[in-house]
């Protein structure tokens, strides 16, 4: 998941977005009256992204709007903050709560801490999707927001978005769909004939969506979009200051000054690739995903978690320490994500993986055999740390360890 763009960093698409970024590196969209071209780039990136996600369909209501942000976390933070303030205005809720599945991104935990919102995290069902029944049971008079992922980061599985939308609508709640990973794949996978369930603003009840342009949109890192069903909701995202001696001030996102070069790079990426480019990229990575899934199924010691809907494939083992397998794969140059509940690892297939699918399966098979024949952690590996953290009943201790680690490394 480190790099989504195919090829080398000195040619092709890399060169295009680097040139666009450098041309506008001096610009700042905070000053709309000065840098009008960057303001237009942002508006067009937002409009093009919204069009992918149903903004032109009658069911969307025809008012979808949004802004560019620095990444998926900021998009999620803004959607949560906006939902909090919108529901305070709409229902007078002053002790807000939100409900997410345990597979939802950790950015929601960050939002809960930042914005003083009580977070209710519920289990997933046997298909590793958000559990509708569990979510319904946690709704109360303070609930402002429920969340669905399309797909979820851990296992690449799409939550039941239509059902969640109906649930949110029936209770008058906000409903955020996390399309940070899937926003530039699922619309095209649907066009290619893959059985993709509904996930966008055509779904009744969806009030906001986050989608990262810097992932499968192949834009420079630091570019995402947050979208809202209408302007009445989005206006609660903005901060306006009227009593500052520095003058009147209003800002749409968390950042004040923003890098116009990244916005220009995102615009250039989308204009260069177009619908046909994204369609072809999606065809390649979806085919690679299916090949990797089939390859993993041929390794008897491994099992795939759930039924992956897109390009994340998570897998574990009932007979081996999967984290030991991960350590060996790291030594072979593969960067996989370690997961918990259950212990597993995943690969996020990008254009970088398309030419090396066979190599990945071969290396994975060899890594499994090595662990099978020589169980036990390798020197310098992280398997003991992951294993110990997962077994610690005191999660506060695990949190303290993480904080101390971060404090010592930055």
């Amino acid at each position: 998941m480190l790099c989504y763009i195919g090829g080398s960093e000195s040619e092709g698409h890399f060169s295009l977005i680097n040139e666009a970024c450098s041309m506008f590196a001096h610009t700042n969209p905070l000053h709309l009256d000065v840098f009008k071209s960057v303001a237009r780039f942002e508006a067009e990136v937002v409009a093009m992204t919204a069009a992918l996600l149903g903004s032109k369909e009658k069911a969307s209501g025809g008012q979808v709007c949004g802004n560019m942000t620095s990444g998926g976390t900021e998009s999620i933070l803004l959607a949560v903050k906006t939902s909090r303030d919108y529901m305070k205005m709409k229902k007078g809720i002053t002790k807000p709560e939100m409900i997410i599945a345990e597979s939802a991104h950790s950015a929601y935990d960050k939002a809960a801490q930042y914005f003083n919102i009580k977070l209710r995290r519920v289990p997933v069902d046997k298909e590793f999707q958000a559990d509708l029944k569990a979510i319904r049971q946690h709704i109360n008079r303070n609930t402002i927001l429920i969340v669905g992922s399309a797909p979820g980061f851990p296992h690449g599985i799409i939550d039941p978005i239509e059902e969640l939308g109906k649930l949110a609508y029936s209770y008058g709640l906000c409903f955020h769909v996390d399309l940070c990973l899937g926003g530039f794949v699922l619309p095209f996978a649907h066009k290619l004939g893959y059985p993709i369930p509904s996930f966008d603003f055509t779904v009744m009840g969806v009030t906001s969506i986050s989608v990262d342009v810097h992932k499968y949109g192949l834009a420079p890192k630091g570019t995402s979009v947050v979208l809202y069903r209408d302007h009445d909701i989005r206006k609660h995202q903005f901060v306006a200051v009227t009593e500052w001696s520095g003058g009147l001030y209003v800002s749409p996102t968390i950042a004040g000054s923003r890098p116009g070069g990244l916005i220009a790079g995102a615009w250039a990426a989308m204009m260069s690739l177009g619908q046909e480019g994204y369609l072809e990229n999606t065809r390649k990575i979806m085919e690679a995903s299916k090949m990797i899934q089939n390859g993993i199924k041929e390794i008897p010691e491994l099992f795939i978690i759930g039924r992956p809907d897109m390009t994340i494939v998570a897998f574990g083992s009932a007979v081996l320490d999967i984290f030991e397998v991960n350590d060996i794969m790291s030594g072979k140059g593969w960067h996989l994500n370690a997961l918990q509940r259950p212990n597993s690892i995943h690969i996020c297939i990008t254009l970088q993986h398309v030419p090396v699918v066979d190599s990945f399966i071969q290396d994975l098979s060899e890594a499994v055999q090595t662990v099978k024949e020589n169980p036990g952690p390798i020197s310098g590996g992280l398997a003991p740390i992951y294993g110990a953290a997962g077994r610690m009943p005191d999660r506060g201790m695990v949190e303290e360890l993480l904080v101390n680690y971060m404090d010592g490394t930055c």
Side-chain angles (χ1 to χ4, degrees):
M1 193 173 289
L2 298 177
C3 185
Y4 291 80
I5 302 172
S8 76
E9 296 182 7
S10 61
E11 61 184 19
H13 192 74
F14 274 109
S15 297
L16 172 77
I17 61 175
N18 288 342
E19 183 175 357
C21 287
S22 65
M23 289 173 64
F24 291 86
H26 62 290
T27 64
N28 179 1
L30 179 64
H31 304 287
L32 298 175
D33 56 331
V34 179
F35 302 112
K36 296 180 181 179
S37 57
V38 172
R40 181 170 178 176
F41 291 153
E42 177 174 10
E44 292 186 1
V45 168
V46 170
M48 289 187 288
T49 304
L52 291 177
L53 303 176
S55 69
K56 295 184 177 180
E57 301 299 322
K58 186 177 180 180
S60 75
Q63 292 190 50
V64 175
C65 53
N67 295 90
M68 289 189 68
T69 73
S70 63
T73 293
E74 186 183 356
S75 290
I76 288 169
L77 289 173
L78 286 170
V80 172
K81 183 265 183 194
T82 302
S83 299
R84 182 198 67 177
D85 294 354
Y86 175 67
M87 292 297 283
K88 182 178 180 180
M89 179 275 297
K90 184 179 179 184
K91 290 189 173 183
I93 296 174
T94 57
K95 295 181 179 179
E97 301 183 10
M98 63 177 172
I99 308 168
I100 67 172
E102 62 183 14
S103 55
H105 198 275
S106 55
Y108 298 98
D109 294 80
K110 184 180 286 188
Q113 292 183 32
Y114 282 6
F115 304 133
N116 195 27
I117 298 171
K118 184 173 182 178
L119 181 65
R120 295 187 180 272
R121 186 183 288 274
V122 303
V124 292
D125 62 20
K126 62 182 180 180
E127 302 297 332
F128 293 90
Q129 294 178 303
D131 191 316
L132 277 165
K133 183 179 180 180
I135 290 174
R136 184 183 290 108
Q137 289 174 342
H138 282 82
I139 293 175
N140 59 44
R141 64 182 182 179
N142 290 321
T143 305
I144 59 166
L145 174 70
I146 62 176
V147 171
S149 303
F153 169 83
H155 312 121
I157 295 171
I158 298 174
D159 288 331
I161 302 301
E162 280 195 288
E163 291 83 354
L164 287 169
K166 291 177 183 177
L167 180 65
Y169 188 81
S170 68
Y171 281 90
L173 306 176
C174 290
F175 175 36
H176 180 74
V177 179
D178 188 345
L179 276 160
C180 288
L181 263 172
F184 280 84
V185 174
L186 296 181
F188 303 105
H190 176 72
K191 285 186 178 181
L192 290 169
Y194 286 92
I196 305 297
S198 298
F199 55 84
D200 57 19
F201 282 112
T202 61
V203 174
M204 180 178 65
V206 173
T207 53
S208 59
I209 288 176
S210 53
V211 51
D212 287 357
V213 199
H214 67 199
K215 289 189 172 76
Y216 290 105
L218 306 191
K221 282 298 181 183
T223 52
S224 179
V225 172
V226 59
L227 299 167
Y228 300 94
R229 181 171 289 275
D230 57 49
H231 292 268
D232 285 342
I233 300 173
R234 185 181 67 153
K235 69 180 182 182
H236 294 279
Q237 174 182 290
F238 303 155
V239 171
V241 181
T242 62
E243 304 307 308
W244 178 36
S245 60
L248 300 177
Y249 177 91
V250 62
S251 176
T253 62
I254 291 175
S257 294
R258 291 183 292 150
L262 295 182
I263 294 173
W267 181 87
M270 295 180 72
M271 295 298 289
S272 172
L273 289 162
Q275 294 265 352
E276 291 303 314
Y278 286 123
L279 200 66
E280 178 60 17
N281 288 344
T282 300
R283 183 188 64 77
K284 291 177 181 177
I285 58 177
M286 290 294 285
E287 288 178 358
S289 176
K290 295 302 177 186
M291 291 171 64
I292 285 177
Q293 290 178 55
N294 291 335
I296 293 172
K297 290 175 183 176
E298 293 297 315
I299 303 174
E301 294 82 4
L302 302 180
F303 63 87
I304 293 175
I305 294 178
R307 295 192 297 271
D309 287 303
M310 209 182 81
T311 52
I312 286 181
V313 183
F315 51 95
S317 176
V319 295
L320 302 171
D321 186 332
I322 196 66
F323 298 139
E324 292 178 12
V325 174
N326 189 35
D327 282 342
I328 293 174
M329 290 296 283
S330 294
K332 293 175 179 288
W334 299 101
H335 298 280
L336 309 178
N337 280 89
L339 314 171
Q340 59 183 355
R341 299 175 185 173
N343 287 352
S344 52
I345 55 180
H346 84 205
I347 180 172
C348 179
I349 295 103
T350 71
L351 291 172
Q352 294 282 346
H353 296 111
V354 171
V356 293
V357 168
D358 291 339
S359 297
F360 174 79
I361 295 299
Q362 181 177 341
D363 284 349
L364 180 60
S365 180
E366 291 174 359
V368 167
Q369 285 304 118
T370 299
V371 173
K372 187 176 181 180
E373 295 168 5
N374 303 281
I378 65 173
S379 178
L382 295 175
I385 296 174
Y386 283 119
R391 290 190 297 270
M392 282 185 184
D394 186 348
R395 306 314 290 172
M397 183 181 295
V398 178
E399 179 181 348
E400 185 177 352
L401 288 171
L402 288 173
V403 170
N404 287 339
Y405 169 77
M406 180 58 66
D407 188 48
T409 54
C410 67

